[in-house]
């Protein structure tokens, strides 16, 4: 089954059959009004200032410190991390202990997250839906890079496209929902081959290597060595690519998405025609796709990278989808403008 095909835009149906579990969804890059309406139902970013309870926001800094530290903490360390005096921190901690958010070891006096904090975390994890959370990120990525983008997850038979968004234009690269992609020759498959942990991956790769060796007439060891080099290269760059290896004339990038346990759960893929799709490892296009995948990973609970900034007062990460994807896209536009001038 091909990863992509080139088709005239007028011939593309509005909807395709849903993917595994009915999660498949096809669309075109949305306009601003559509994106705003789609995101409006659930957000933590307040577009307009609203009156809140400042003492709660201040106290939560202590909970954030406990969560980030990963082990029980002394009062003085908690207070320092929370940016407040020890006496003030102690009053907050007393209230949190009454609520079950924090507990204190009677022997050491150290504080740690309590049972109710665990309940909240588990309840939040149970509500995580990668496909739903990916929707606005894919929309922004498609708009920023003007290329077809897709989300793939591991299905019963391998990497499966569960959602795609076409960029539009007279010539469009499409990726249908429900399509199972090969591990060795597609960008999406190579991302799973490099980062996904499953016994099935190894068995499937062995089958594909044998088939490729028989079809090309080359030694099995040679084909295996080439694939191993591709997988190692993918891990080194943090993103997989395919240059016409599956579908002639089509380039692709695919970046892994991880959950709170560090396990790969999905891949964000982008495809484009060879003449317009810059497949250099360090291209702004590749950086945009990696940024989108990193953002979705954090939405799924994966640890934030060291460069993520957190304000001392609110402890809220100062990054948005546009910041993540847009920075790389801006660099791409600057490079394009420079080339035009030359």
């Amino acid at each position: 089954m091909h990863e992509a095909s080139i088709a005239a835009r007028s011939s593309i149906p509005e909807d395709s059959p849903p993917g595994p579990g009915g999660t498949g969804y096809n669309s075109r890059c949305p306009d601003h009004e559509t994106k705003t309406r789609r995101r409006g139902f659930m957000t933590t970013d307040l577009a307009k200032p609203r009156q809140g309870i400042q003492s709660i926001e201040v106290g939560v800094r202590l909970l954030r410190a406990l969560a980030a530290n990963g082990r029980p903490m002394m009062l003085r360390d908690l207070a320092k991390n929370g940016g407040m005096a020890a006496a003030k921190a102690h009053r907050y901690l007393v209230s949190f202990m009454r609520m079950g958010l924090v507990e204190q070891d009677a022997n050491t006096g150290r504080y740690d997250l309590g049972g109710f904090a665990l309940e909240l975390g588990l309840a939040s994890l149970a509500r995580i839906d990668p496909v739903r959370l990916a929707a606005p990120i894919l929309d922004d990525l498609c708009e920023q890079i003007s290329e077809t983008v897709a989300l793939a997850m591991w299905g019963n038979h391998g990497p499966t496209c569960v959602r795609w968004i076409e960029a539009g234009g007279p010539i469009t690269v499409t990726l249908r929902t429900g399509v199972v992609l090969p591990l060795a020759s597609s960008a999406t498959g190579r991302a799973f081959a490099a980062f996904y942990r499953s016994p099935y991956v190894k068995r499937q790769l062995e089958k594909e290597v044998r088939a490729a060796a028989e079809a090309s007439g080359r030694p099995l060891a040679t084909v295996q060595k080439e694939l191993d080099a591709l997988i190692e290269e993918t891990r080194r760059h943090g993103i997989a690519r395919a240059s016409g290896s599956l579908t002639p004339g089509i380039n692709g990038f695919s970046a892994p998405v991880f959950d709170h346990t560090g396990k790969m759960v999905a891949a964000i893929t982008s495809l484009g025609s060879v003449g317009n799709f810059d497949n250099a490892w360090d291209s702004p296009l590749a950086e945009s796709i990696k940024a989108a995948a990193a953002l979705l990973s954090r939405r799924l609970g994966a640890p934030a990278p060291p460069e993520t900034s957190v304000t001392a007062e609110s402890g809220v990460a100062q990054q948005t989808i546009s910041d993540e994807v847009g920075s790389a896209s801006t660099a791409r536009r600057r490079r394009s403008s420079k080339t035009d001038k030359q």
Side-chain angles (χ1 to χ4, degrees):
M1 187 78 72
H2 291 297
E3 180 174 15
S5 61
I6 300 181
R9 182 177 181 183
S10 59
S11 66
I12 299 174
E14 290 295 328
D15 297 297
S16 293
T23 57
Y25 181 80
N26 303 341
S27 66
R28 293 190 173 93
C29 284
D31 55 26
H32 178 72
E33 180 181 354
T34 302
K35 289 199 301 181
T36 302
R37 185 171 61 252
R38 186 174 295 169
R39 292 177 190 165
F41 66 93
M42 186 174 293
T43 180
T44 57
D45 300 322
L46 301 181
K48 298 179 180 179
R50 299 181 185 179
Q51 188 67 35
I53 302 176
Q54 186 177 10
S55 60
I56 293 179
E57 297 174 8
V58 172
V60 165
R61 286 168 12 206
L62 299 173
L63 299 177
R64 289 185 180 275
L66 282 172
N69 193 62
R71 61 181 184 275
M73 300 176 67
M74 297 294 293
L75 175 61
R76 64 174 180 272
D77 298 324
L78 257 177
K80 181 179 179 180
N81 278 269
M84 65 184 76
K88 182 178 181 180
H90 181 262
R91 291 195 296 272
Y92 278 110
L93 291 170
V94 169
S95 295
F96 288 151
M97 285 191 290
R98 290 172 181 168
M99 299 164 62
L101 288 170
V102 171
E103 60 186 21
Q104 184 181 27
D105 189 299
N107 296 320
T108 65
R110 294 175 181 270
Y111 295 89
D112 202 355
L113 294 174
F116 185 49
L118 176 61
E119 291 180 29
L120 288 176
L122 292 175
S124 179
L125 288 175
R127 289 169 168 79
I128 287 180
D129 178 358
V131 178
R132 177 181 60 81
L133 293 176
I137 296 176
L138 292 177
D139 287 343
D140 273 352
L141 180 61
C142 180
E143 184 179 26
Q144 293 285 350
I145 67 177
S146 299
E147 300 287 359
T148 294
V149 299
L151 181 74
M153 301 181 70
W154 190 264
N156 293 334
H157 302 289
T160 305
C161 176
V162 296
R163 181 184 179 93
W164 71 271
I165 302 176
E166 81 172 61
I171 300 297
T172 302
V173 179
T174 65
L175 183 63
R176 301 300 185 186
T177 54
V179 170
V180 179
L181 304 165
L183 289 171
S185 56
S186 69
T188 305
R190 290 172 182 174
F192 277 92
F195 300 102
Y196 190 72
R197 297 293 175 262
S198 171
Y200 181 84
V201 172
K202 183 178 180 180
R203 294 195 298 269
Q204 183 62 26
L205 279 174
E206 290 173 351
K207 292 180 182 178
E208 293 186 18
V209 168
R210 285 196 300 269
E214 292 174 2
S216 63
R218 295 185 299 160
L220 180 63
T222 300
V223 178
Q224 182 65 59
K225 185 177 180 179
E226 291 176 353
L227 178 60
D228 290 342
L230 283 172
I231 292 176
E232 179 57 34
E233 190 176 36
T234 296
R235 289 171 178 159
R236 187 167 65 252
H237 290 283
I239 189 171
R241 75 176 179 183
S243 304
S245 56
L246 181 61
T247 304
I250 301 297
N251 285 342
F253 275 122
S254 186
V257 175
F258 303 94
D259 67 5
H260 67 286
T261 67
K263 178 183 177 181
M264 181 182 176
V265 293
I268 289 181
T269 299
S270 181
L271 306 169
S273 57
V274 170
N276 300 316
F277 194 96
D278 185 357
N279 70 338
W281 287 114
D282 60 349
S283 66
L285 181 61
E287 293 302 322
S288 293
I289 297 166
K290 287 197 291 185
L295 180 57
L296 180 55
S297 294
R298 289 197 291 279
R299 295 286 171 87
L300 294 175
E307 62 269 24
T308 299
S309 61
V310 178
T311 61
E313 182 62 30
S314 66
V316 179
Q318 300 298 305
Q319 292 183 327
T320 64
I321 296 172
S322 296
D323 293 335
E324 289 285 325
V325 180
S327 59
S329 180
T330 299
R332 185 188 184 198
R333 289 194 298 270
R334 288 175 178 171
R335 177 183 293 184
S336 176
S337 177
K338 184 178 180 180
T339 302
D340 292 340
K341 290 179 180 180
Q342 292 175 345

